[in-house]
Amino acid sequence: MFKKNKSILSLLCFASVLWLNGCSVKKYIPEDELLYTGAEVKIENEGEVEDVKNIKQQAEAVLRPEPNSKFLGMRPGLYFHYKAQQENPGFINKFFNKRIGEEPVYASDVELNEVEDIILNRMENKGFFYSRVSSAMNENEEKQIAEAVYTVNLPKPYLLENYEVEESDTIGVYQEIQNSISETVIEPGMRFDLTELKRERERIEADLMQKGYYNFNPQFLIFEADTNQYNNRKFDLYLRLKQEVPREAAIPYRVEKVNVYPNYVIDSDSIQRDTVRLEGKNYIQEEIFFRPDRLDPYILIEKGKLYSPEDSRYTSRRLTSIGAYKFVNIRYDEIDSLMTDTSGVLEANIFLSPLNKRSLRAELQAVTKSNDFAGPTLALTYANRNLFHGGEILNLTGKFGYEWQIASGDDRSLSSILVGAEADIIFPRMLFPFDINFDNDWFKYSIPKTKVGVGFNYLSRSELFRMYSITGSYGYLWRANRFITHELTPGSINYVSLGQKTEEFEEILRRNPYLRQSFNQQFIAGLLYSFTYNGMVDANRTHQFFVNANLDLAGQLVDLISGGGDEEPKKFLGLEYAQYAKLDTDIRYHWKVGSDHKIATRLFAGYGLPYGNSDIMPFSKQYFSGGPYSVRAFRIRSLGPGAYDPSNSESGINSYFDQAGNVRLEANVEYRFPIINVLKGAVFADAGNVWHTQDVEDLEEGQDYNEEYIEKGRFGSDFLKEFGAGVGFGLRVDIQNFIIRFDLAAPVRTPWLEEGNRWRFDYDDPVLNFGIGYPF
């Protein structure tokens, strides 16, 4: 423990020295210079100006130059730059200067007049014509720093009175523009805003392109503002087409020909290929690489339809989602010989460049677990793409792992062997045992996929047990749009067989009927549904949301098929089956508070209800708490249930088997910030626990049981008092969004301690977590 505390103390000392040095840049500043610390914008308005805060942000956005960055009041980038300029800078200073060094920004570098002009231009673009901007440099000779202050005097802005489209000789396109005005973003009473005018031109262009105007460009539209009719800062706005709009831009285009190349090789020589015509499209390939009837549903571009960029985008996305193609390129060529005065003609060429048909991936993992097991796991995955010439993907995975317990708490050497094999095939379409007709508009964004999978796992825990499991699933995966994903598995089967058991493990089961019953029901068959809303795909948004909800229902269909006999427990094909309903929700909110700075939060709630044939949730379906993706101050599976103290386990063995429940509540908050290049940092706080809903009355009369486990682990009205909580800091290596994460955390609230003594910061007993990816 002394070594651990000594290491933490050394780290704190290094940080303190760096902080003191980072603040001591004053002695390096030349005598005739002042360090520029930034600028302030003051708004003075001569009338009633709405949204002053936004106007101020617009002015602040154009301030130049950027001052030297600060971190916790220090300027490490500037400090290491100065140190690197010395005669003998040393390796450390040169290294950090290369990584985070910054050239100094002095007050003499600031061109006040130029910034004034830029601010004035920005204000006029926002409708504040005849604004005035003045500036001054506030200097502090003693501290050798200076700050710029810009004062913006705003008059009353110009407000829109009327907006209309001027009539044009180009009848067709003029009428389409006139029709689109009902969707305009420009409204009477709004302030003159150049940004909004640009948005309006882009909106009209998108609307015209969607109606076939292939060659239209927003530069063909021009706005004119007229203030002559008013004397109170109002204006009329007119939109018109420029005189020199070319004929090709003013007519709609139709698709006359669609050519699809399912096996296109870039820069390939021209080879005689066969052409198959299907649904008005030409499928051109030397031999059948991809069946035209399987590929055709993915293509929304059709002969006779008006040109539509939306159809092109959706077609490209749908074809890419198949998983068989590396590149999808859609090119339109104009057929001049067929063009008339009122319409143009296009030929659409879809070039599809396939991925390698077969691939083999090996993955070696070094695994450490909270039950003190550690060891390597090797996984090999073989993939065969486009297996039946319809985009099908076959994945075969085999894995082998060996772990040993490095600190079991006694003189025994426990080990674990894991052997598994999985096979799944993904069909890029919906497969049903009977015909179902769907509205094509449902699947315009993407076509659902069907996934069929089977798996086998063998687990051997030395001196405990052997376990075999067989899984099978049949389900569908569908992306409704760029944010929402649905996953439905109507057929899910899991058979678990607990094989040879040692006397020691039998004793564990005897002392914990809750655990024993969770292993009894070996057959789980049911339905799974998962809904995901991922607003984090928009990485630049200030506020980002993520919601994942999962529903797991087991035993209903099996009970119906078996007829629900009088035997207790009920069986199907000689196997005792589980019945339960399980629902959990994971809600996340991320708030970007600056460039590469983020506050991330997460709430998780889950509940499993055993019923009918089940008194206890199956062990594999229970919740656990603690670990690198949960409450990080506690090891995996070491927290809970409730106020249960795992050190009181009478099994004489690590108690992680016991610490599970059918209720889980957790909350997390984390502040993430950059440090140096790919190295990121975080400080965080976690809280949560798991509970069970088992009562003593539910146990068989005369049955032996762990009274403390049943009583202290049950979910009740005092659940808030039984939360475990911890705080910590972390380091993350971010290499092109591949995250390697190290989090060091210590408990601040331990639920199994006596009430009144649970709030205790155990900084001398931290937990180091290793993970891949962010925890939430």
Side-chain angles (χ1 to χ4, degrees):
M1 185 166 301
F2 173 75
K3 291 182 178 179
K4 188 184 299 180
N5 290 336
K6 185 178 180 181
S7 299
I8 295 174
L9 182 61
S10 299
L11 181 61
L12 292 175
C13 289
F14 173 77
S16 299
V17 171
L18 179 61
W19 186 84
L20 290 173
N21 287 334
C23 288
S24 60
V25 297
K26 176 181 176 182
K27 59 185 176 181
Y28 300 107
I29 301 174
E31 293 184 1
D32 58 342
E33 294 285 5
L34 297 176
L35 188 66
Y36 177 65
T37 60
E40 179 187 3
V41 175
K42 296 181 178 180
I43 301 293
E44 295 181 356
N45 51 309
E46 293 181 352
E48 295 182 0
V49 177
E50 297 180 358
D51 199 12
V52 174
K53 182 179 179 180
N54 179 263
I55 297 300
K56 185 176 180 180
Q57 291 176 345
Q58 293 287 334
E60 291 173 341
V62 299
L63 297 178
R64 299 291 184 272
E66 291 282 342
N68 292 110
S69 59
K70 297 177 67 176
F71 177 71
L72 299 178
M74 59 183 177
R75 296 183 176 86
L78 184 57
Y79 168 77
F80 285 114
H81 169 80
Y82 281 133
K83 294 292 287 185
Q85 310 311 311
Q86 295 180 344
E87 185 175 348
N88 296 307
F91 170 77
I92 295 296
N93 291 320
K94 290 193 294 185
F95 173 82
F96 280 104
N97 179 54
K98 185 177 180 180
R99 296 297 186 276
I100 64 171
E102 297 179 357
E103 292 277 350
V105 181
Y106 298 122
S108 60
D109 298 324
V110 182
E111 299 292 342
L112 295 176
N113 292 335
E114 290 184 7
V115 177
E116 285 181 19
D117 292 340
I118 297 174
I119 293 176
L120 182 60
N121 178 263
R122 181 61 61 94
M123 295 301 100
E124 290 181 346
N125 288 344
K126 292 299 178 181
F128 296 96
F129 295 98
Y130 312 111
S131 298
R132 297 191 302 273
V133 182
S134 60
S135 62
M137 186 69 72
N138 291 341
E139 301 178 350
N140 189 322
E141 298 286 350
E142 181 181 351
K143 295 183 178 180
Q144 288 187 267
I145 59 175
E147 179 191 40
V149 178
Y150 298 93
T151 303
V152 183
N153 194 295
L154 295 179
K156 183 179 178 181
Y158 278 79
L159 303 180
L160 176 65
E161 186 69 17
N162 298 300
Y163 170 46
E164 61 184 69
V165 180
E166 284 191 352
E167 191 169 349
S168 171
D169 294 336
T170 315
I171 303 300
V173 70
Y174 161 74
Q175 190 60 50
E176 294 292 354
I177 295 174
Q178 185 67 44
N179 294 339
S180 75
I181 292 300
S182 61
E183 303 295 330
T184 182
V185 297
I186 297 176
E187 298 178 353
M190 67 174 285
R191 187 176 62 226
F192 178 91
D193 192 324
L194 187 61
T195 301
E196 292 301 313
L197 299 187
K198 290 180 179 179
R199 281 184 56 198
E200 174 70 356
R201 290 203 312 177
E202 292 169 356
R203 183 197 65 80
I204 293 174
E205 179 215 18
D207 183 72
L208 291 175
M209 293 281 279
Q210 190 61 29
K211 294 175 180 177
Y213 289 83
Y214 176 72
N215 285 314
F216 194 83
N217 189 296
Q219 300 299 324
F220 299 146
L221 295 171
I222 187 171
F223 283 105
E224 293 180 346
D226 182 8
T227 62
N228 294 326
Q229 307 298 321
Y230 310 99
N231 56 9
N232 56 349
R233 292 182 179 263
K234 292 185 178 182
F235 69 100
D236 291 333
L237 186 66
Y238 300 94
L239 174 66
R240 65 177 178 83
L241 284 164
K242 291 183 179 179
Q243 294 292 337
E244 62 273 16
V245 175
R247 180 170 65 99
E248 293 81 0
I251 58 174
Y253 280 72
R254 295 185 180 275
V255 177
E256 179 64 26
K257 192 174 184 182
V258 181
N259 300 320
V260 183
Y261 299 83
N263 190 18
Y264 179 74
V265 179
I266 299 176
D267 297 329
S268 61
D269 296 330
S270 59
I271 303 174
Q272 185 65 34
R273 298 182 177 94
D274 292 331
T275 299
V276 175
R277 188 162 181 82
L278 178 68
E279 300 293 337
K281 306 178 188 71
N282 300 316
Y283 290 86
I284 305 169
Q285 49 190 328
E286 184 178 0
E287 57 185 20
I288 297 299
F289 172 79
F290 205 118
R291 289 171 49 183
D293 61 319
R294 296 299 188 195
L295 194 58
D296 190 73
Y298 285 84
I299 300 174
L300 298 176
I301 303 169
E302 297 180 359
K303 179 181 178 180
K305 291 180 63 175
L306 287 172
Y307 164 76
S308 167
E310 183 179 86
D311 286 348
S312 297
R313 287 195 303 271
Y314 282 149
T315 296
S316 179
R317 181 185 298 112
R318 288 153 68 104
L319 291 170
T320 302
S321 70
I322 294 174
Y325 290 110
K326 178 168 50 177
F327 299 114
V328 175
N329 181 30
I330 301 176
R331 189 187 73 202
Y332 289 93
D333 297 325
E334 298 182 43
I335 306 178
D336 295 335
S337 60
L338 299 180
M339 187 173 67
T340 67
D341 291 337
T342 57
S343 66
V345 178
L346 295 174
E347 178 183 58
N349 295 282
I350 304 174
F351 303 98
L352 307 176
S353 301
L355 290 160
N356 291 332
K357 182 174 178 57
R358 299 175 181 85
S359 66
L360 182 65
R361 184 179 74 251
E363 184 176 1
L364 180 64
Q365 298 178 335
V367 179
T368 59
K369 298 182 179 178
S370 64
N371 53 341
D372 298 318
F373 276 87
T377 298
L378 175 65
L380 295 174
T381 300
Y382 165 80
N384 190 319
R385 301 181 181 89
N386 199 28
L387 182 63
F388 304 124
H389 304 290
E392 304 83 4
I393 300 177
L394 172 68
N395 294 307
L396 302 175
T397 302
K399 58 184 177 182
F400 174 81
Y402 179 77
E403 305 166 2
W404 61 93
Q405 199 168 30
I406 56 180
S408 61
D410 52 30
D411 296 331
R412 295 170 302 176
S413 177
L414 303 178
S415 62
S416 172
I417 296 176
L418 172 66
V419 179
E422 298 176 0
D424 63 67
I425 183 168
I426 300 173
F427 299 86
R429 52 191 173 274
M430 296 188 74
L431 300 180
F432 290 103
F434 46 86
D435 291 334
I436 298 180
N437 293 321
F438 290 100
D439 188 336
N440 289 333
D441 289 340
W442 285 12
F443 303 139
K444 189 170 185 178
Y445 186 85
S446 68
I447 293 179
K449 296 182 178 182
T450 303
K451 182 178 179 179
V452 182
V454 295
F456 170 81
N457 285 286
Y458 165 78
L459 176 65
S460 174
R461 297 278 195 203
S462 67
E463 303 188 32
L464 289 175
F465 63 87
R466 294 177 181 175
M467 181 183 292
Y468 309 86
S469 65
I470 299 174
T471 60
S473 64
Y474 181 98
Y476 308 99
L477 178 66
W478 175 45
R479 290 195 63 187
N481 52 51
R482 64 192 299 257
F483 300 110
I484 295 176
T485 301
H486 301 274
E487 188 168 0
L488 175 65
T489 306
S492 173
I493 298 175
N494 186 6
Y495 170 70
V496 179
S497 175
L498 192 60
Q500 182 180 350
K501 294 175 286 188
T502 65
E503 294 183 2
E504 188 166 26
F505 190 63
E506 289 281 9
E507 177 64 16
I508 296 174
L509 297 180
R510 186 186 69 80
R511 291 290 299 165
N512 194 334
Y514 182 90
L515 179 65
R516 187 191 64 220
Q517 290 184 46
S518 70
F519 277 104
N520 280 346
Q521 294 182 328
Q522 304 165 339
F523 185 68
I524 305 173
L527 174 147
L528 304 172
Y529 170 71
S530 177
F531 167 86
T532 301
Y533 171 84
N534 185 10
M536 296 180 184
V537 295
D538 287 338
N540 295 323
R541 280 190 176 182
T542 302
H543 304 283
Q544 302 168 355
F545 291 91
F546 173 93
V547 178
N548 174 243
N550 299 284
L551 176 64
D552 185 353
L553 301 175
Q556 290 79 7
L557 182 60
V558 173
D559 189 60
L560 182 64
I561 295 175
S562 65
D566 296 330
E567 59 180 341
E568 291 291 343
K570 303 172 186 177
K571 295 184 178 181
F572 177 71
L573 300 178
L575 300 174
E576 181 180 337
Y577 58 88
Q579 282 186 286
Y580 63 84
K582 181 181 177 184
L583 176 66
D584 51 54
T585 303
D586 185 340
I587 302 174
R588 305 174 189 181
Y589 165 64
H590 289 184
W591 178 25
K592 291 189 66 176
V593 293
S595 178
D596 289 335
H597 291 257
K598 180 181 293 185
I599 295 176
T601 63
R602 171 178 173 262
L603 291 173
F604 182 92
Y607 176 65
L609 174 66
Y611 67 92
N613 212 36
S614 299
D615 295 323
I616 304 295
M617 292 284 292
F619 184 75
S620 61
K621 297 295 183 177
Q622 294 185 27
Y623 295 111
F624 303 89
S625 190
Y629 300 92
S630 180
V631 184
R632 285 162 282 186
F634 299 86
R635 301 184 187 278
I636 303 174
R637 302 174 183 251
S638 69
L639 181 57
Y644 172 66
D645 185 354
S647 64
N648 290 341
S649 173
E650 300 179 13
S651 63
I653 194 171
N654 191 300
S655 63
Y656 87 100
F657 288 106
D658 304 339
Q659 296 176 251
N662 60 312
V663 180
R664 179 184 172 195
L665 296 172
E666 283 185 5
N668 313 79
V669 61
E670 183 171 282
Y671 171 55
R672 299 168 184 168
F673 53 87
I675 299 179
I676 301 173
N677 280 351
V678 299
L679 185 62
K680 315 290 183 182
V683 292
F684 56 83
D686 307 315
N689 207 333
V690 294
W691 297 263
H692 64 72
T693 54
Q694 180 78 13
D695 285 319
V696 175
E697 291 78 7
D698 296 335
L699 301 175
E700 298 176 7
E701 186 176 353
Q703 190 175 48
D704 194 8
Y705 62 88
N706 185 330
E707 181 177 356
E708 181 182 8
Y709 180 86
I710 297 295
E711 294 297 333
K712 291 191 174 182
R714 185 167 57 247
F715 185 79
S717 59
D718 292 336
F719 71 95
L720 288 176
K721 298 179 180 179
E722 297 171 350
F723 267 57
V727 296
F729 65 91
L731 296 176
R732 291 85 191 276
V733 180
D734 185 349
I735 305 174
Q736 295 181 347
N737 292 323
F738 177 77
I739 312 296
I740 301 173
R741 176 168 54 91
F742 299 91
D743 288 332
L744 186 67
V748 295
R749 195 174 196 281
T750 306
W752 55 77
L753 298 179
E754 292 294 330
E755 287 195 52
N757 296 322
R758 292 177 178 175
W759 286 102
R760 187 175 68 183
F761 185 23
D762 291 334
Y763 60 87
D764 58 341
D765 189 24
V767 175
L768 179 63
N769 294 276
F770 169 77
I772 300 296
Y774 286 111
F776 51 88

